[in-house]
């Protein structure tokens, strides 16, 4: 689900970017925006389609899914219309209320159990309008948080992972798969949206993320695991809800409409304090992680405790900005000296780690796949299809540039890592200590490659903070036996190999090299079992 959602999104984005100007799907800078050039805003269209495809293929068409898919169609149509024509807010609200109504009355997604009122569900006359208002509110909260490159997508990714984890713990596998699909399209989008962004998600994307996360948080607490505290959605969607509430209360206090635009959102205020773009995004990510951590820790606590902690976190954010404003606090920036170029004697540090990784990554994966026993037929067929597509992409590189090489390489990597971690024969043939040692060696080479890479080849971004947070979360889940013994190492392995593959591909001068040929051999080692 994750890989297909990622692949569909990344495959659709380049052609949609080509069509953006013709369809008037571009974001023009103005006094409220931080970008200074015209940017396509078609990422949301690719993301919605990227989620719909795997869900239609692999999830049973139950009432909830039918309602969500119908609502997503409305979000897509109204969102694309808004991105093209800049609709009046009343028309935007009409589309959002229509989508929310479909989710409630067709999908049966309702807030029936309320905090402080016990476990008895309330009447539908209360539940239905309350749910619709909540869904519309969350949709706009994520929409309003979409002010910096990677900000709304990163917040949504953290929320989707938290919802997916809690659903997994409650055996709600349909919700888990939807969260994986959302995570896949977000990663595919962030490939083009990390600062400085080449692409925006537009209202289509931000409304899609807000609506889906709102609906999933309701499903999680009201159906998947009713033992969870019903206030958890406020934590799972923490920063966007707090930001929207603060901004609207301030506008009302100033005698303005709560929907009037300004530059008073949290990300605007962090920039005004002197933070760089990536620093503001990273701070908001960290705040969102605190809310999510609180949700996980308080998931079974009493209503009063959960509400008290939420009010405390809300107050802490308000007080922090009030203190910064009253004291005139600003971020102080000292001049940071750039890394001096390597001497001629040490120039080998720039190229040797990359060259070793070019050979080392395919060899590591090839060893695992060759040691595998009986490979599932669907995996062999998938590898064969991927082998044909990757071969065509390398042979006709200029003509097939619309096929993302990274998606093909990462998919091949995922196939091989799955076999290494789940095939009993491969696990018995390769001692665990040998595997760990080889992987650690690859990671050390990756660190050297990043450290001594030429300027501009590889730069850390807020997206890296997301990946580090996810890796840390995997470690915590593994420690508490939430993930099984194979899944946690596999996910950490994938993260490391994806980063290593990324830096290798950034420095490839030709598409035919030891790395790409090695990845073809990895796929051949899997697909070749069809004739054995």
């Amino acid at each position: 689900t994750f890989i297909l959602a990622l692949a569909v999104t990344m495959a659709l984005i380049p052609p949609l970017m080509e069509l953006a100007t013709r369809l008037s799907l571009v974001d023009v800078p103005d006094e409220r925006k931080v970008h200074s050039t015209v940017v396509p805003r078609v990422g949301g269209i690719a993301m919605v389609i990227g989620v719909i495809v795997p869900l239609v293929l692999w999830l049973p068409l139950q009432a909830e899914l039918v309602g969500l898919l119908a609502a997503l169609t409305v979000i897509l149509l109204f969102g694309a219309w808004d991105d093209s024509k800049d609709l009046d807010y009343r028309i935007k609200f009409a589309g959002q209320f229509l989508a929310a109504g479909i989710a409630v009355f067709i999908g049966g997604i309702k807030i029936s159990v309320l905090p402080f009122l016990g476990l008895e569900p309330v009447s539908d006359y209360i539940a239905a309008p309350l749910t619709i208002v909540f869904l519309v509110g969350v949709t706009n909260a994520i929409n309003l948080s979409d002010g910096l490159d990677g900000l709304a997508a990163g917040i949504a990714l953290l929320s989707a992972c938290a919802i997916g984890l809690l659903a997994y713990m409650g055996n709600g596998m349909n919700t888990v798969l939807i969260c994986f699909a959302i995570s896949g399209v977000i990663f595919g989008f962030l490939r083009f949206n990390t600062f400085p962004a080449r692409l925006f998600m537009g209202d289509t994307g931000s409304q899609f993320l807000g609506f889906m996360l709102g609906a999933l948080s309701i499903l999680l607490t009201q159906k998947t695991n009713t033992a969870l505290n019903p206030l958890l959605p406020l934590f799972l969607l923490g920063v966007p809800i707090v930001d929207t509430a603060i901004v609207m209360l301030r506008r009302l206090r100033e005698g303005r409409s709560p929907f009037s635009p300004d530059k008073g959102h949290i990300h605007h205020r962090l920039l005004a304090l002197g933070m760089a773009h990536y620093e503001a995004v990273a701070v908001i990510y960290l705040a969102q992680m605190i809310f999510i951590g609180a949700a996980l820790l308080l998931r079974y606590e009493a209503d009063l405790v959960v509400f008290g902690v939420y009010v405390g976190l809300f107050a802490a954010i308000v007080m922090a900005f009030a203190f910064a404003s009253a004291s005139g606090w600003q971020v102080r920036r000292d001049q940071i000296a750039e890394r001096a170029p390597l001497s001629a004697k040490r120039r080998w540090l720039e190229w040797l780690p990359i060259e070793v990784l070019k050979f080392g990554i395919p060899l590591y994966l090839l060893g695992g796949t060759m040691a595998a026993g009986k490979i599932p037929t669907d995996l062999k067929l998938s590898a064969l299809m991927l082998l044909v597509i990757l071969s065509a992409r390398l042979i006709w590189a200029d003509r097939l540039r619309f096929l993302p090489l990274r998606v093909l390489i990462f998919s091949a990597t995922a196939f091989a890592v799955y076999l290494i971690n789940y095939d009993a024969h491969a696990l018995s043939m390769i001692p665990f200590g040998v595997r760990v040692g080889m992987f650690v060696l690859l990671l050390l080479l990756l660190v050297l490659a990043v450290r001594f890479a030429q300027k501009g080849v590889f730069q850390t971004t807020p997206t890296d903070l997301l990946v580090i947070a996810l890796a840390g979360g995997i470690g915590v889940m593994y420690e508490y036996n939430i993930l099984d013994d194979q899944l946690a190492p596999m996910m950490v392995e994938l993260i490391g190999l994806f980063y290593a593959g990324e830096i290798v591909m950034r420095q490839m001068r030709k598409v035919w090299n030891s790395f790409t040929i090695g990845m073809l051999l990895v796929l051949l080692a899997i697909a070749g079992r069809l004739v054995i």
Side-chain angles (χ1 to χ4, degrees):
T1 298
F2 176 89
I3 291 173
L4 181 58
L6 174 75
V8 169
T9 303
M10 291 187 67
L12 286 175
I13 282 175
L16 285 172
M17 289 176 70
E18 294 290 330
L19 293 171
T21 303
R22 192 183 310 170
L23 298 175
S24 300
L25 292 169
V26 292
D27 197 304
V28 180
D30 59 34
E31 66 277 1
R32 292 191 300 110
K33 297 173 182 176
V34 297
H35 63 95
S36 56
T37 58
V38 174
V39 180
R41 49 182 179 186
V42 293
I45 298 174
M47 293 165 73
V48 174
I49 297 173
V51 160
I52 289 175
V53 170
L55 298 189
V56 169
L57 286 177
W58 292 321
L59 277 185
L61 286 178
Q62 298 172 344
E64 289 132 356
L65 182 62
V66 172
L68 283 177
L69 292 176
L72 277 185
T73 303
V74 173
I75 292 288
L76 174 61
L77 294 175
F78 275 82
W81 186 15
D82 185 29
D83 287 329
S84 177
K85 302 296 184 182
D86 285 328
L87 298 177
D88 181 86
Y89 74 91
R90 288 166 291 193
I91 300 178
K92 294 169 66 172
F93 271 127
Q96 294 168 5
F97 275 100
L98 176 59
I102 290 172
V104 170
F105 294 109
I106 295 179
I109 301 170
K110 297 174 187 174
I111 303 174
S112 299
V113 177
L114 300 179
F116 304 108
L117 295 181
L119 299 178
E120 286 297 320
V122 298
S123 165
D124 282 352
Y125 293 106
I126 298 174
L130 177 63
T131 306
I132 291 173
V133 170
F134 176 79
L135 287 175
V136 172
V138 171
T139 299
N140 284 284
I142 298 291
N143 179 244
L144 293 172
S145 72
D146 186 26
L148 297 177
D149 297 343
L151 180 56
I155 291 173
L157 177 64
L158 293 170
S159 297
C161 290
I163 294 170
L165 171 61
L166 290 170
Y168 178 80
M169 294 166 67
N171 201 31
M173 297 313 295
N174 287 352
T175 303
V176 173
L177 286 178
I178 297 173
C179 289
F180 266 100
I182 292 172
S183 300
V185 301
I186 290 174
F187 269 113
F189 169 73
L190 284 175
R191 178 70 185 80
F192 300 86
N193 185 246
T194 301
F195 181 78
R198 293 177 286 155
L199 172 79
F200 291 159
M201 67 172 69
D203 281 352
T204 307
S206 57
Q207 291 183 49
F208 149 71
L209 290 176
F211 183 85
M212 287 297 290
L213 293 174
L216 290 174
S217 67
I218 295 172
L219 281 175
L220 173 70
T221 55
Q222 301 289 325
K223 289 193 175 183
T224 302
N225 186 358
T226 54
L228 294 173
N229 190 285
L231 285 169
L232 283 194
L234 296 179
F235 287 86
L236 296 170
L237 302 162
V239 174
I241 292 178
V242 170
D243 179 38
T244 302
I246 292 173
V247 167
M248 288 192 169
L249 289 172
R250 179 179 51 79
R251 290 170 182 169
L252 288 172
R253 191 179 70 245
E254 295 172 354
R256 296 189 292 127
S257 166
F259 306 108
S260 59
D262 59 22
K263 299 187 75 169
H265 288 279
I266 288 178
H267 55 272
H268 291 129
R269 298 177 73 174
L270 291 174
L271 293 177
L273 291 174
M275 289 188 181
H277 183 289
Y278 71 93
E279 291 171 335
V281 173
V283 166
I284 295 174
Y285 284 173
L286 290 171
Q288 181 71 359
M289 291 177 200
I290 292 172
F291 274 99
I292 287 173
L296 296 175
L297 292 172
L298 302 171
R299 60 187 184 275
Y300 297 128
E301 295 294 334
D303 294 343
L304 188 60
V305 173
V306 177
F307 182 72
V309 172
Y310 185 79
V311 172
L313 291 174
F314 192 110
I317 294 176
V318 174
M319 291 172 63
F321 280 110
F323 171 79
S325 177
S327 64
W329 183 84
Q330 286 278 310
V331 175
R332 295 183 59 184
R333 299 198 168 276
D334 300 321
Q335 292 295 324
I336 301 175
E338 292 188 6
R339 175 174 65 87
L342 293 171
S343 63
K345 291 183 179 180
R346 301 181 66 194
R347 192 64 56 82
W348 58 272
L349 286 170
E350 289 184 347
W351 58 266
L352 184 59
I354 296 294
E355 293 301 319
V356 177
L357 284 174
K358 284 182 180 178
F359 286 95
I361 296 171
L363 282 175
Y364 176 80
L365 298 174
L366 190 60
T369 53
M370 293 295 289
K374 186 177 180 181
I375 301 175
T377 302
D378 58 345
L379 188 60
K380 289 187 283 189
L381 291 171
S382 299
L384 177 62
M385 181 175 65
L386 193 59
L387 175 64
V388 172
I389 297 173
L390 180 57
S391 300
R393 174 64 174 83
L394 296 176
I395 294 170
W396 295 289
D398 292 334
R399 298 180 183 178
L400 300 179
R401 286 186 179 277
F402 63 91
L403 288 175
L405 182 62
R406 283 171 172 77
V407 173
L408 301 175
I409 295 293
F410 290 165
S411 299
T413 302
F415 287 174
V417 169
Y418 172 80
L419 283 177
I420 293 171
N421 285 275
Y422 276 90
D423 183 81
H425 193 263
L427 291 171
S428 64
M429 289 290 292
I430 306 175
F432 182 72
V434 173
R435 273 185 54 209
V436 171
M438 293 174 63
F439 182 65
V440 169
L441 179 60
L442 289 177
L443 289 183
L444 290 174
L445 290 167
L446 172 61
V447 170
L448 289 173
V450 172
R451 171 65 180 82
F452 296 107
Q454 295 178 4
K455 184 178 179 181
V457 170
F458 191 90
Q459 296 176 328
T460 55
T461 68
T463 305
D464 300 316
L465 176 62
L466 291 175
V467 175
I468 293 170
L470 293 176
I474 291 167
V476 172
M477 289 185 281
Y478 180 69
E479 184 69 23
Y480 284 91
N481 297 318
I482 295 173
L483 296 179
D484 64 58
D485 291 342
Q486 286 83 24
L487 183 58
M490 183 182 76
M491 294 172 75
V492 173
E493 206 169 355
L494 277 175
I495 290 171
L497 290 172
F498 281 179
Y499 267 104
E502 173 72 16
I503 195 168
V504 166
M505 285 184 280
R506 281 178 178 265
Q507 300 198 55
M508 292 192 320
R509 293 182 176 86
K510 298 180 180 179
V511 292
W512 286 103
N513 54 64
S514 56
F515 178 68
T516 53
I517 293 172
M519 295 308 297
L520 286 174
L521 292 176
V522 170
L523 289 171
L524 185 61
I526 302 173
R529 307 291 181 91
L530 283 167
V531 296
I532 296 178

